[in-house]
Amino acid sequence: MSTTLISRARAIAGPSRSVSGTRTRTTAPARRGLAAVVSESSSVGRTAAPPPPPPPAPRSPRAEGDIGSVFASLSGETEQPFPERFLDLKRSIIGDADNQARLRHSWATLTERLAKLAPEIERKQQACIPQTTYEAFIENPSKELIEDIKSCGTVIVRNAVSEEEALQWLEETRAYLALNPQVKGFPADDKQVFEIYWSKAQLAARAHPRSLAVQRALLTLFSAPPTAPVSLLTPLTYADRLRIRNPGDAKFALGPHSDGGSIERWEDPNYRKVYERILRGRWEDFDAWQIEHRAVANQDMYHGAGSCGVFRAFQGWTSMSHTGPNEGTLRVFPYLREMTAYLMLRPLFREKRSRAEVDHESYLAANNWELDTETTRFANSALGRCQEYNDETHPHLELSRTMVSIPEVRPGDQAWWHGDMIHAVEANHRGKGPSAVMYIPSVPLTPLNADYVRDQREMFLAARPPPDFPGGVGECSFKGTGRAEDIQGLAGRNAMGLEPFEITGDLTEGERSARQQANKVLGF
C-alpha cells in the first residue's frame, strides 16, 4: 500500500475517540442583441455583476405531506416563469464577447462529447458503475478505483454491513410500521416511501461504525484548502426516509433529478463559484471534488418542500433487500463532469429551430443553439425544489438512453452517488421481493451543516420530522420510537450533535475551526 493510501486508511479509521414574490414577466422583453449585453459588462471578470440574491428565508416547520409533495413531477406541477431578476442573472453569467465566444465553443465540444457517450453508456449499462468491497475501499483502494468513482460519480460498496444486520433492520422496521399504522407514506393507498425518521433501526444504521467509516472514505475523495472550515473526517447524520417498495409498483416513478437545490446553483454567489470553470467556458477543467465553495454555499434559498438545508457530499442508501435492474432500483447518468457541465450550461442556450422543424440530429447540433439573453427561463428549474430533467428540457443528455440502473445489490450493500449526480428510480418494480433501502448520505462537518444538525437534534428529541421534511406531529405519539440513548458509539453521537467534537493538536486550521464553530452552534 502506498504511503498516501496508508495515511488515508489511518485517517478513515480515526483515533479512538474521534469521529470522526416578486413581479413576474407577463410580456416578452424587447429584443436586445448580445452587443447590448457586452456594453453593460463590468471590469470584474469582464462580466456584469449578478444581481444580489434575496435574503435567505428563515428555517421554519414545513407543511405536512409526503415525498409526493417534494417533487414537481410527482405533484403534477409544471415549469413556471421566473421573476425578472433572473434575466439579469443570466446576462451577467453569459458575460462579455470574450466569454460568449468561450461558451459557444464549450457548448459545441460538450454536446459533441455527449453525443459520443450516449451509445457507449447504452452498450455498457451496469459496467459503467464502479463496485468495491468494504475492506478494499477502507483499507487499500486502488488508484484505478478512485479514478473510476470520480469519473462516474457513483460507487457500490459491497458488504458495508453484514447481510444479517441489514435483514434485521428490515424486520424491525416492518414491526415498527405495524405498531404505528397511522404512519404517512407515498402513495397513500399503498404506502412504500414512509415518513419515518426515528425508528431504532434507522438510528442504528446511521450510527453503525462501518457505515461511518465508508462515509469518511467517501469524504476524503474531496479536497479543501487547509484553512477552509470543513472536516472531511467528521461525518454528520442527516436523517432521511426509508422505502420498502412492493413488487409491481409503478407509482413511485421518481424521474431524473439532482438534489442540493435547483436555481441556487446559479443564483447563490458561493454555489456559482463551484461551477466557475464551466461558466467561463472551460468545462473540461471542472473539478467536482473541490469542497471549499460547496461548504459555504446556500443550497436552500427558498425553503420549499423540495429544498435541502445541508451539503451532502454523497447521497446514498443502504440496501435491506436483494434488488437488481428492473426491480425498482436506482438509476444514474454515469459521467459526472459531462452531466454537470450540461446542467450548468443548458439554461444559457436556447434552440433556434424546434423539433418540429428539423430532424433529431439537426435539432441537437450545436449550430441549432444560441445564447439566450432574452428570457428568464432556467430549463426545468424551480424555487424551493430539486433540479429535474427530461428529454424535452435537457435533450442532449438523451436520458431515455443514458440513465443506467445500478448493478444488483444484496442486504448490507450500499449505493453512493455524488451530490450533483442526475439520478432516478426505475419506474416499475418487476421483481418478486421488496426493494427496501434506508437513505443515509455522507455529510461533512461544516458550520452550515452543524447549524442544520442543531435544528435536526431538536426535532429528534421531540420525535418530529427533521427540518427538511414535511412537518406535523411526526412520530411523537408512535410506539417504539428511538431515543437519544439508543444511539451507540461516540462517533454516532457526535454525528447527531449529542456530544461535542474533540479538539486535538493535530487538526488543520480549517478542521479545528469547523469543530470549534460546530461545538458553539450545538451548545457545547
Side-chain angles (χ1 to χ4, degrees), residues 102-103 105-114 117 275-287 337-342 345:
R102 289 193 296 268
L103 288 173
H105 176 74
S106 184
W107 179 258
T109 60
L110 175 60
T111 54
E112 180 181 10
R113 169 69 172 157
L114 291 171
L117 283 179
Y275 311 102
E276 183 71 16
R277 292 181 180 180
I278 297 172
L279 298 176
R280 298 281 72 83
R282 296 186 290 120
W283 69 267
E284 297 94 337
D285 298 331
F286 170 64
D287 184 357
R337 177 184 285 125
E338 289 84 353
M339 61 121 292
T340 307
Y342 186 75
L345 291 179

PDB file of all heavy atoms in Angstrom, residues 102-103 105-114 117 275-287 337-342 345:
ATOM      1  N   ARG A 102     -16.199  31.834 -25.653  1.00  0.00           N
ATOM      2  CA  ARG A 102     -15.784  30.629 -24.934  1.00  0.00           C
ATOM      3  C   ARG A 102     -16.971  29.709 -24.678  1.00  0.00           C
ATOM      4  O   ARG A 102     -16.870  28.478 -24.799  1.00  0.00           O
ATOM      5  CB  ARG A 102     -15.119  31.013 -23.607  1.00  0.00           C
ATOM      6  CG  ARG A 102     -13.745  31.657 -23.750  1.00  0.00           C
ATOM      7  CD  ARG A 102     -13.024  31.713 -22.412  1.00  0.00           C
ATOM      8  NE  ARG A 102     -13.708  32.552 -21.453  1.00  0.00           N
ATOM      9  CZ  ARG A 102     -13.457  33.851 -21.265  1.00  0.00           C
ATOM     10  NH1 ARG A 102     -12.547  34.465 -22.011  1.00  0.00           N
ATOM     11  NH2 ARG A 102     -14.112  34.549 -20.353  1.00  0.00           N
ATOM     12  N   LEU A 103     -18.106  30.291 -24.317  1.00  0.00           N
ATOM     13  CA  LEU A 103     -19.300  29.488 -24.050  1.00  0.00           C
ATOM     14  C   LEU A 103     -19.771  28.762 -25.309  1.00  0.00           C
ATOM     15  O   LEU A 103     -20.151  27.584 -25.250  1.00  0.00           O
ATOM     16  CB  LEU A 103     -20.418  30.361 -23.486  1.00  0.00           C
ATOM     17  CG  LEU A 103     -20.235  30.858 -22.046  1.00  0.00           C
ATOM     18  CD1 LEU A 103     -21.334  31.845 -21.676  1.00  0.00           C
ATOM     19  CD2 LEU A 103     -20.214  29.692 -21.052  1.00  0.00           C
ATOM     20  N   HIS A 105     -17.986  27.840 -27.904  1.00  0.00           N
ATOM     21  CA  HIS A 105     -17.048  26.758 -28.187  1.00  0.00           C
ATOM     22  C   HIS A 105     -17.233  25.610 -27.199  1.00  0.00           C
ATOM     23  O   HIS A 105     -17.223  24.421 -27.581  1.00  0.00           O
ATOM     24  CB  HIS A 105     -15.611  27.283 -28.121  1.00  0.00           C
ATOM     25  CG  HIS A 105     -14.572  26.210 -28.312  1.00  0.00           C
ATOM     26  ND1 HIS A 105     -14.314  25.643 -29.540  1.00  0.00           N
ATOM     27  CD2 HIS A 105     -13.745  25.592 -27.414  1.00  0.00           C
ATOM     28  CE1 HIS A 105     -13.370  24.717 -29.404  1.00  0.00           C
ATOM     29  NE2 HIS A 105     -13.012  24.668 -28.128  1.00  0.00           N
ATOM     30  N   SER A 106     -17.405  25.956 -25.939  1.00  0.00           N
ATOM     31  CA  SER A 106     -17.600  24.956 -24.902  1.00  0.00           C
ATOM     32  C   SER A 106     -18.870  24.145 -25.160  1.00  0.00           C
ATOM     33  O   SER A 106     -18.880  22.913 -25.020  1.00  0.00           O
ATOM     34  CB  SER A 106     -17.673  25.648 -23.538  1.00  0.00           C
ATOM     35  OG  SER A 106     -17.765  24.729 -22.488  1.00  0.00           O
ATOM     36  N   TRP A 107     -19.932  24.830 -25.530  1.00  0.00           N
ATOM     37  CA  TRP A 107     -21.204  24.149 -25.839  1.00  0.00           C
ATOM     38  C   TRP A 107     -21.010  23.155 -26.984  1.00  0.00           C
ATOM     39  O   TRP A 107     -21.508  22.020 -26.926  1.00  0.00           O
ATOM     40  CB  TRP A 107     -22.259  25.186 -26.191  1.00  0.00           C
ATOM     41  CG  TRP A 107     -23.603  24.637 -26.562  1.00  0.00           C
ATOM     42  CD1 TRP A 107     -24.112  24.503 -27.816  1.00  0.00           C
ATOM     43  CD2 TRP A 107     -24.622  24.184 -25.667  1.00  0.00           C
ATOM     44  NE1 TRP A 107     -25.387  23.988 -27.773  1.00  0.00           N
ATOM     45  CE2 TRP A 107     -25.719  23.784 -26.454  1.00  0.00           C
ATOM     46  CE3 TRP A 107     -24.709  24.075 -24.282  1.00  0.00           C
ATOM     47  CZ2 TRP A 107     -26.889  23.273 -25.903  1.00  0.00           C
ATOM     48  CZ3 TRP A 107     -25.878  23.560 -23.722  1.00  0.00           C
ATOM     49  CH2 TRP A 107     -26.945  23.171 -24.537  1.00  0.00           C
ATOM     50  N   ALA A 108     -20.273  23.552 -27.999  1.00  0.00           N
ATOM     51  CA  ALA A 108     -20.045  22.676 -29.149  1.00  0.00           C
ATOM     52  C   ALA A 108     -19.259  21.427 -28.742  1.00  0.00           C
ATOM     53  O   ALA A 108     -19.601  20.304 -29.123  1.00  0.00           O
ATOM     54  CB  ALA A 108     -19.314  23.430 -30.253  1.00  0.00           C
ATOM     55  N   THR A 109     -18.191  21.606 -27.963  1.00  0.00           N
ATOM     56  CA  THR A 109     -17.392  20.443 -27.565  1.00  0.00           C
ATOM     57  C   THR A 109     -18.147  19.551 -26.590  1.00  0.00           C
ATOM     58  O   THR A 109     -18.027  18.317 -26.649  1.00  0.00           O
ATOM     59  CB  THR A 109     -16.060  20.889 -26.946  1.00  0.00           C
ATOM     60  OG1 THR A 109     -16.308  21.694 -25.782  1.00  0.00           O
ATOM     61  CG2 THR A 109     -15.228  21.675 -27.949  1.00  0.00           C
ATOM     62  N   LEU A 110     -18.937  20.167 -25.713  1.00  0.00           N
ATOM     63  CA  LEU A 110     -19.685  19.381 -24.739  1.00  0.00           C
ATOM     64  C   LEU A 110     -20.777  18.558 -25.420  1.00  0.00           C
ATOM     65  O   LEU A 110     -20.933  17.358 -25.144  1.00  0.00           O
ATOM     66  CB  LEU A 110     -20.295  20.289 -23.682  1.00  0.00           C
ATOM     67  CG  LEU A 110     -21.201  19.609 -22.653  1.00  0.00           C
ATOM     68  CD1 LEU A 110     -20.435  18.549 -21.862  1.00  0.00           C
ATOM     69  CD2 LEU A 110     -21.823  20.640 -21.717  1.00  0.00           C
ATOM     70  N   THR A 111     -21.553  19.171 -26.290  1.00  0.00           N
ATOM     71  CA  THR A 111     -22.628  18.428 -26.953  1.00  0.00           C
ATOM     72  C   THR A 111     -22.062  17.336 -27.856  1.00  0.00           C
ATOM     73  O   THR A 111     -22.670  16.263 -27.994  1.00  0.00           O
ATOM     74  CB  THR A 111     -23.545  19.367 -27.739  1.00  0.00           C
ATOM     75  OG1 THR A 111     -22.771  20.175 -28.646  1.00  0.00           O
ATOM     76  CG2 THR A 111     -24.314  20.295 -26.795  1.00  0.00           C
ATOM     77  N   GLU A 112     -20.901  17.580 -28.448  1.00  0.00           N
ATOM     78  CA  GLU A 112     -20.247  16.530 -29.234  1.00  0.00           C
ATOM     79  C   GLU A 112     -19.848  15.366 -28.330  1.00  0.00           C
ATOM     80  O   GLU A 112     -20.017  14.184 -28.685  1.00  0.00           O
ATOM     81  CB  GLU A 112     -19.019  17.100 -29.948  1.00  0.00           C
ATOM     82  CG  GLU A 112     -18.274  16.077 -30.791  1.00  0.00           C
ATOM     83  CD  GLU A 112     -17.037  16.657 -31.466  1.00  0.00           C
ATOM     84  OE1 GLU A 112     -16.651  17.801 -31.138  1.00  0.00           O
ATOM     85  OE2 GLU A 112     -16.452  15.963 -32.312  1.00  0.00           O
ATOM     86  N   ARG A 113     -19.305  15.680 -27.166  1.00  0.00           N
ATOM     87  CA  ARG A 113     -18.917  14.647 -26.212  1.00  0.00           C
ATOM     88  C   ARG A 113     -20.131  13.839 -25.750  1.00  0.00           C
ATOM     89  O   ARG A 113     -20.083  12.601 -25.677  1.00  0.00           O
ATOM     90  CB  ARG A 113     -18.221  15.301 -25.021  1.00  0.00           C
ATOM     91  CG  ARG A 113     -17.982  14.416 -23.813  1.00  0.00           C
ATOM     92  CD  ARG A 113     -16.962  13.356 -24.065  1.00  0.00           C
ATOM     93  NE  ARG A 113     -16.634  12.655 -22.825  1.00  0.00           N
ATOM     94  CZ  ARG A 113     -16.140  11.437 -22.778  1.00  0.00           C
ATOM     95  NH1 ARG A 113     -15.894  10.758 -23.903  1.00  0.00           N
ATOM     96  NH2 ARG A 113     -15.856  10.867 -21.612  1.00  0.00           N
ATOM     97  N   LEU A 114     -21.228  14.505 -25.446  1.00  0.00           N
ATOM     98  CA  LEU A 114     -22.436  13.810 -25.002  1.00  0.00           C
ATOM     99  C   LEU A 114     -22.977  12.893 -26.093  1.00  0.00           C
ATOM    100  O   LEU A 114     -23.453  11.781 -25.799  1.00  0.00           O
ATOM    101  CB  LEU A 114     -23.498  14.820 -24.578  1.00  0.00           C
ATOM    102  CG  LEU A 114     -23.213  15.611 -23.298  1.00  0.00           C
ATOM    103  CD1 LEU A 114     -24.222  16.731 -23.116  1.00  0.00           C
ATOM    104  CD2 LEU A 114     -23.210  14.686 -22.072  1.00  0.00           C
ATOM    105  N   LEU A 117     -20.973   9.785 -25.969  1.00  0.00           N
ATOM    106  CA  LEU A 117     -21.171   8.998 -24.761  1.00  0.00           C
ATOM    107  C   LEU A 117     -22.444   8.169 -24.807  1.00  0.00           C
ATOM    108  O   LEU A 117     -22.479   7.059 -24.248  1.00  0.00           O
ATOM    109  CB  LEU A 117     -21.221   9.908 -23.531  1.00  0.00           C
ATOM    110  CG  LEU A 117     -19.905  10.446 -22.994  1.00  0.00           C
ATOM    111  CD1 LEU A 117     -20.173  11.337 -21.789  1.00  0.00           C
ATOM    112  CD2 LEU A 117     -18.972   9.307 -22.612  1.00  0.00           C
ATOM    113  N   TYR A 275     -18.961  26.138  -9.879  1.00  0.00           N
ATOM    114  CA  TYR A 275     -19.025  25.818 -11.298  1.00  0.00           C
ATOM    115  C   TYR A 275     -18.387  26.894 -12.177  1.00  0.00           C
ATOM    116  O   TYR A 275     -18.674  27.002 -13.368  1.00  0.00           O
ATOM    117  CB  TYR A 275     -20.489  25.613 -11.706  1.00  0.00           C
ATOM    118  CG  TYR A 275     -21.233  24.688 -10.773  1.00  0.00           C
ATOM    119  CD1 TYR A 275     -22.117  25.193  -9.806  1.00  0.00           C
ATOM    120  CD2 TYR A 275     -21.031  23.315 -10.816  1.00  0.00           C
ATOM    121  CE1 TYR A 275     -22.788  24.344  -8.939  1.00  0.00           C
ATOM    122  CE2 TYR A 275     -21.700  22.461  -9.956  1.00  0.00           C
ATOM    123  CZ  TYR A 275     -22.581  22.984  -9.022  1.00  0.00           C
ATOM    124  OH  TYR A 275     -23.241  22.143  -8.150  1.00  0.00           O
ATOM    125  N   GLU A 276     -17.504  27.690 -11.571  1.00  0.00           N
ATOM    126  CA  GLU A 276     -16.941  28.846 -12.268  1.00  0.00           C
ATOM    127  C   GLU A 276     -16.266  28.446 -13.581  1.00  0.00           C
ATOM    128  O   GLU A 276     -16.411  29.131 -14.601  1.00  0.00           O
ATOM    129  CB  GLU A 276     -15.942  29.559 -11.350  1.00  0.00           C
ATOM    130  CG  GLU A 276     -15.332  30.825 -11.949  1.00  0.00           C
ATOM    131  CD  GLU A 276     -16.323  31.976 -12.037  1.00  0.00           C
ATOM    132  OE1 GLU A 276     -17.378  31.908 -11.372  1.00  0.00           O
ATOM    133  OE2 GLU A 276     -16.033  32.929 -12.762  1.00  0.00           O
ATOM    134  N   ARG A 277     -15.518  27.363 -13.575  1.00  0.00           N
ATOM    135  CA  ARG A 277     -14.825  26.976 -14.804  1.00  0.00           C
ATOM    136  C   ARG A 277     -15.799  26.622 -15.914  1.00  0.00           C
ATOM    137  O   ARG A 277     -15.555  26.924 -17.083  1.00  0.00           O
ATOM    138  CB  ARG A 277     -13.879  25.808 -14.516  1.00  0.00           C
ATOM    139  CG  ARG A 277     -12.702  26.205 -13.634  1.00  0.00           C
ATOM    140  CD  ARG A 277     -11.759  25.044 -13.380  1.00  0.00           C
ATOM    141  NE  ARG A 277     -10.643  25.445 -12.539  1.00  0.00           N
ATOM    142  CZ  ARG A 277      -9.675  24.643 -12.150  1.00  0.00           C
ATOM    143  NH1 ARG A 277      -9.674  23.360 -12.518  1.00  0.00           N
ATOM    144  NH2 ARG A 277      -8.693  25.097 -11.387  1.00  0.00           N
ATOM    145  N   ILE A 278     -16.883  25.986 -15.574  1.00  0.00           N
ATOM    146  CA  ILE A 278     -17.905  25.677 -16.580  1.00  0.00           C
ATOM    147  C   ILE A 278     -18.491  26.966 -17.135  1.00  0.00           C
ATOM    148  O   ILE A 278     -18.637  27.119 -18.359  1.00  0.00           O
ATOM    149  CB  ILE A 278     -19.017  24.806 -15.964  1.00  0.00           C
ATOM    150  CG1 ILE A 278     -18.460  23.459 -15.505  1.00  0.00           C
ATOM    151  CG2 ILE A 278     -20.157  24.608 -16.956  1.00  0.00           C
ATOM    152  CD1 ILE A 278     -19.451  22.618 -14.727  1.00  0.00           C
ATOM    153  N   LEU A 279     -18.827  27.887 -16.263  1.00  0.00           N
ATOM    154  CA  LEU A 279     -19.474  29.133 -16.690  1.00  0.00           C
ATOM    155  C   LEU A 279     -18.515  30.083 -17.389  1.00  0.00           C
ATOM    156  O   LEU A 279     -18.959  31.055 -18.000  1.00  0.00           O
ATOM    157  CB  LEU A 279     -20.102  29.822 -15.471  1.00  0.00           C
ATOM    158  CG  LEU A 279     -21.201  29.004 -14.772  1.00  0.00           C
ATOM    159  CD1 LEU A 279     -21.687  29.725 -13.522  1.00  0.00           C
ATOM    160  CD2 LEU A 279     -22.369  28.727 -15.712  1.00  0.00           C
ATOM    161  N   ARG A 280     -17.228  29.811 -17.311  1.00  0.00           N
ATOM    162  CA  ARG A 280     -16.229  30.574 -18.063  1.00  0.00           C
ATOM    163  C   ARG A 280     -15.769  29.807 -19.300  1.00  0.00           C
ATOM    164  O   ARG A 280     -14.749  30.117 -19.894  1.00  0.00           O
ATOM    165  CB  ARG A 280     -15.028  30.924 -17.179  1.00  0.00           C
ATOM    166  CG  ARG A 280     -15.367  31.817 -15.983  1.00  0.00           C
ATOM    167  CD  ARG A 280     -15.522  33.290 -16.344  1.00  0.00           C
ATOM    168  NE  ARG A 280     -16.736  33.594 -17.083  1.00  0.00           N
ATOM    169  CZ  ARG A 280     -17.926  33.802 -16.541  1.00  0.00           C
ATOM    170  NH1 ARG A 280     -18.093  33.724 -15.251  1.00  0.00           N
ATOM    171  NH2 ARG A 280     -18.956  34.099 -17.297  1.00  0.00           N
ATOM    172  N   GLY A 281     -16.529  28.798 -19.696  1.00  0.00           N
ATOM    173  CA  GLY A 281     -16.268  28.118 -20.956  1.00  0.00           C
ATOM    174  C   GLY A 281     -15.166  27.082 -20.921  1.00  0.00           C
ATOM    175  O   GLY A 281     -14.619  26.720 -21.963  1.00  0.00           O
ATOM    176  N   ARG A 282     -14.846  26.556 -19.724  1.00  0.00           N
ATOM    177  CA  ARG A 282     -13.768  25.574 -19.609  1.00  0.00           C
ATOM    178  C   ARG A 282     -14.272  24.323 -18.864  1.00  0.00           C
ATOM    179  O   ARG A 282     -13.739  23.936 -17.838  1.00  0.00           O
ATOM    180  CB  ARG A 282     -12.562  26.182 -18.893  1.00  0.00           C
ATOM    181  CG  ARG A 282     -11.922  27.335 -19.649  1.00  0.00           C
ATOM    182  CD  ARG A 282     -10.638  27.838 -18.988  1.00  0.00           C
ATOM    183  NE  ARG A 282     -10.923  28.532 -17.735  1.00  0.00           N
ATOM    184  CZ  ARG A 282     -10.437  28.149 -16.545  1.00  0.00           C
ATOM    185  NH1 ARG A 282      -9.701  27.072 -16.444  1.00  0.00           N
ATOM    186  NH2 ARG A 282     -10.720  28.856 -15.470  1.00  0.00           N
ATOM    187  N   TRP A 283     -15.302  23.704 -19.404  1.00  0.00           N
ATOM    188  CA  TRP A 283     -15.914  22.589 -18.687  1.00  0.00           C
ATOM    189  C   TRP A 283     -14.957  21.416 -18.510  1.00  0.00           C
ATOM    190  O   TRP A 283     -15.057  20.679 -17.515  1.00  0.00           O
ATOM    191  CB  TRP A 283     -17.185  22.115 -19.390  1.00  0.00           C
ATOM    192  CG  TRP A 283     -16.991  21.423 -20.717  1.00  0.00           C
ATOM    193  CD1 TRP A 283     -17.016  21.988 -21.951  1.00  0.00           C
ATOM    194  CD2 TRP A 283     -16.748  20.024 -20.913  1.00  0.00           C
ATOM    195  NE1 TRP A 283     -16.798  21.032 -22.918  1.00  0.00           N
ATOM    196  CE2 TRP A 283     -16.639  19.820 -22.314  1.00  0.00           C
ATOM    197  CE3 TRP A 283     -16.608  18.922 -20.066  1.00  0.00           C
ATOM    198  CZ2 TRP A 283     -16.404  18.557 -22.869  1.00  0.00           C
ATOM    199  CZ3 TRP A 283     -16.372  17.674 -20.608  1.00  0.00           C
ATOM    200  CH2 TRP A 283     -16.276  17.494 -21.999  1.00  0.00           C
ATOM    201  N   GLU A 284     -14.021  21.230 -19.421  1.00  0.00           N
ATOM    202  CA  GLU A 284     -13.081  20.114 -19.294  1.00  0.00           C
ATOM    203  C   GLU A 284     -12.199  20.240 -18.050  1.00  0.00           C
ATOM    204  O   GLU A 284     -11.675  19.241 -17.548  1.00  0.00           O
ATOM    205  CB  GLU A 284     -12.176  20.025 -20.534  1.00  0.00           C
ATOM    206  CG  GLU A 284     -12.916  19.737 -21.832  1.00  0.00           C
ATOM    207  CD  GLU A 284     -13.266  21.012 -22.594  1.00  0.00           C
ATOM    208  OE1 GLU A 284     -13.342  22.082 -21.949  1.00  0.00           O
ATOM    209  OE2 GLU A 284     -13.470  20.928 -23.828  1.00  0.00           O
ATOM    210  N   ASP A 285     -12.036  21.473 -17.547  1.00  0.00           N
ATOM    211  CA  ASP A 285     -11.209  21.711 -16.368  1.00  0.00           C
ATOM    212  C   ASP A 285     -11.996  21.679 -15.056  1.00  0.00           C
ATOM    213  O   ASP A 285     -11.425  21.877 -13.982  1.00  0.00           O
ATOM    214  CB  ASP A 285     -10.510  23.079 -16.486  1.00  0.00           C
ATOM    215  CG  ASP A 285      -9.576  23.147 -17.681  1.00  0.00           C
ATOM    216  OD1 ASP A 285      -9.035  22.096 -18.072  1.00  0.00           O
ATOM    217  OD2 ASP A 285      -9.404  24.254 -18.230  1.00  0.00           O
ATOM    218  N   PHE A 286     -13.291  21.439 -15.134  1.00  0.00           N
ATOM    219  CA  PHE A 286     -14.117  21.446 -13.927  1.00  0.00           C
ATOM    220  C   PHE A 286     -13.737  20.286 -13.010  1.00  0.00           C
ATOM    221  O   PHE A 286     -13.597  19.142 -13.444  1.00  0.00           O
ATOM    222  CB  PHE A 286     -15.597  21.349 -14.300  1.00  0.00           C
ATOM    223  CG  PHE A 286     -16.510  21.114 -13.136  1.00  0.00           C
ATOM    224  CD1 PHE A 286     -16.624  22.063 -12.130  1.00  0.00           C
ATOM    225  CD2 PHE A 286     -17.260  19.944 -13.036  1.00  0.00           C
ATOM    226  CE1 PHE A 286     -17.469  21.855 -11.041  1.00  0.00           C
ATOM    227  CE2 PHE A 286     -18.107  19.721 -11.964  1.00  0.00           C
ATOM    228  CZ  PHE A 286     -18.205  20.678 -10.965  1.00  0.00           C
ATOM    229  N   ASP A 287     -13.570  20.583 -11.732  1.00  0.00           N
ATOM    230  CA  ASP A 287     -13.255  19.577 -10.724  1.00  0.00           C
ATOM    231  C   ASP A 287     -14.420  19.483  -9.748  1.00  0.00           C
ATOM    232  O   ASP A 287     -14.644  20.388  -8.941  1.00  0.00           O
ATOM    233  CB  ASP A 287     -11.966  19.943  -9.988  1.00  0.00           C
ATOM    234  CG  ASP A 287     -11.531  18.888  -8.985  1.00  0.00           C
ATOM    235  OD1 ASP A 287     -12.251  17.891  -8.807  1.00  0.00           O
ATOM    236  OD2 ASP A 287     -10.448  19.062  -8.377  1.00  0.00           O
ATOM    237  N   ARG A 337     -18.639  14.748 -14.733  1.00  0.00           N
ATOM    238  CA  ARG A 337     -18.204  16.045 -15.245  1.00  0.00           C
ATOM    239  C   ARG A 337     -19.091  16.494 -16.403  1.00  0.00           C
ATOM    240  O   ARG A 337     -19.530  17.656 -16.463  1.00  0.00           O
ATOM    241  CB  ARG A 337     -16.743  15.988 -15.694  1.00  0.00           C
ATOM    242  CG  ARG A 337     -16.264  17.314 -16.303  1.00  0.00           C
ATOM    243  CD  ARG A 337     -14.847  17.230 -16.828  1.00  0.00           C
ATOM    244  NE  ARG A 337     -13.870  17.245 -15.738  1.00  0.00           N
ATOM    245  CZ  ARG A 337     -12.941  16.333 -15.552  1.00  0.00           C
ATOM    246  NH1 ARG A 337     -12.856  15.297 -16.372  1.00  0.00           N
ATOM    247  NH2 ARG A 337     -12.090  16.447 -14.553  1.00  0.00           N
ATOM    248  N   GLU A 338     -19.368  15.585 -17.326  1.00  0.00           N
ATOM    249  CA  GLU A 338     -20.149  15.958 -18.514  1.00  0.00           C
ATOM    250  C   GLU A 338     -21.580  16.356 -18.161  1.00  0.00           C
ATOM    251  O   GLU A 338     -22.095  17.353 -18.677  1.00  0.00           O
ATOM    252  CB  GLU A 338     -20.150  14.793 -19.511  1.00  0.00           C
ATOM    253  CG  GLU A 338     -18.814  14.550 -20.184  1.00  0.00           C
ATOM    254  CD  GLU A 338     -17.848  13.688 -19.372  1.00  0.00           C
ATOM    255  OE1 GLU A 338     -18.168  13.369 -18.195  1.00  0.00           O
ATOM    256  OE2 GLU A 338     -16.785  13.324 -19.909  1.00  0.00           O
ATOM    257  N   MET A 339     -22.211  15.595 -17.277  1.00  0.00           N
ATOM    258  CA  MET A 339     -23.601  15.940 -16.942  1.00  0.00           C
ATOM    259  C   MET A 339     -23.668  17.229 -16.149  1.00  0.00           C
ATOM    260  O   MET A 339     -24.602  18.020 -16.338  1.00  0.00           O
ATOM    261  CB  MET A 339     -24.294  14.794 -16.207  1.00  0.00           C
ATOM    262  CG  MET A 339     -23.701  14.383 -14.891  1.00  0.00           C
ATOM    263  SD  MET A 339     -24.767  14.483 -13.412  1.00  0.00           S
ATOM    264  CE  MET A 339     -25.022  16.206 -13.191  1.00  0.00           C
ATOM    265  N   THR A 340     -22.688  17.482 -15.277  1.00  0.00           N
ATOM    266  CA  THR A 340     -22.697  18.731 -14.511  1.00  0.00           C
ATOM    267  C   THR A 340     -22.471  19.931 -15.425  1.00  0.00           C
ATOM    268  O   THR A 340     -23.123  20.978 -15.271  1.00  0.00           O
ATOM    269  CB  THR A 340     -21.623  18.696 -13.414  1.00  0.00           C
ATOM    270  OG1 THR A 340     -21.782  17.521 -12.625  1.00  0.00           O
ATOM    271  CG2 THR A 340     -21.733  19.917 -12.522  1.00  0.00           C
ATOM    272  N   ALA A 341     -21.557  19.787 -16.370  1.00  0.00           N
ATOM    273  CA  ALA A 341     -21.323  20.874 -17.320  1.00  0.00           C
ATOM    274  C   ALA A 341     -22.586  21.183 -18.109  1.00  0.00           C
ATOM    275  O   ALA A 341     -22.953  22.353 -18.312  1.00  0.00           O
ATOM    276  CB  ALA A 341     -20.185  20.501 -18.268  1.00  0.00           C
ATOM    277  N   TYR A 342     -23.290  20.148 -18.537  1.00  0.00           N
ATOM    278  CA  TYR A 342     -24.522  20.375 -19.307  1.00  0.00           C
ATOM    279  C   TYR A 342     -25.602  21.001 -18.437  1.00  0.00           C
ATOM    280  O   TYR A 342     -26.327  21.910 -18.875  1.00  0.00           O
ATOM    281  CB  TYR A 342     -25.009  19.065 -19.912  1.00  0.00           C
ATOM    282  CG  TYR A 342     -26.193  19.248 -20.843  1.00  0.00           C
ATOM    283  CD1 TYR A 342     -26.021  19.782 -22.116  1.00  0.00           C
ATOM    284  CD2 TYR A 342     -27.477  18.907 -20.433  1.00  0.00           C
ATOM    285  CE1 TYR A 342     -27.102  19.972 -22.967  1.00  0.00           C
ATOM    286  CE2 TYR A 342     -28.566  19.081 -21.280  1.00  0.00           C
ATOM    287  CZ  TYR A 342     -28.371  19.622 -22.544  1.00  0.00           C
ATOM    288  OH  TYR A 342     -29.455  19.817 -23.392  1.00  0.00           O
ATOM    289  N   LEU A 345     -24.693  24.733 -18.235  1.00  0.00           N
ATOM    290  CA  LEU A 345     -24.715  25.497 -19.485  1.00  0.00           C
ATOM    291  C   LEU A 345     -26.088  25.521 -20.154  1.00  0.00           C
ATOM    292  O   LEU A 345     -26.404  26.472 -20.880  1.00  0.00           O
ATOM    293  CB  LEU A 345     -23.695  24.913 -20.475  1.00  0.00           C
ATOM    294  CG  LEU A 345     -22.217  25.103 -20.123  1.00  0.00           C
ATOM    295  CD1 LEU A 345     -21.341  24.452 -21.188  1.00  0.00           C
ATOM    296  CD2 LEU A 345     -21.864  26.579 -19.974  1.00  0.00           C
TER     297      LEU A 345
END
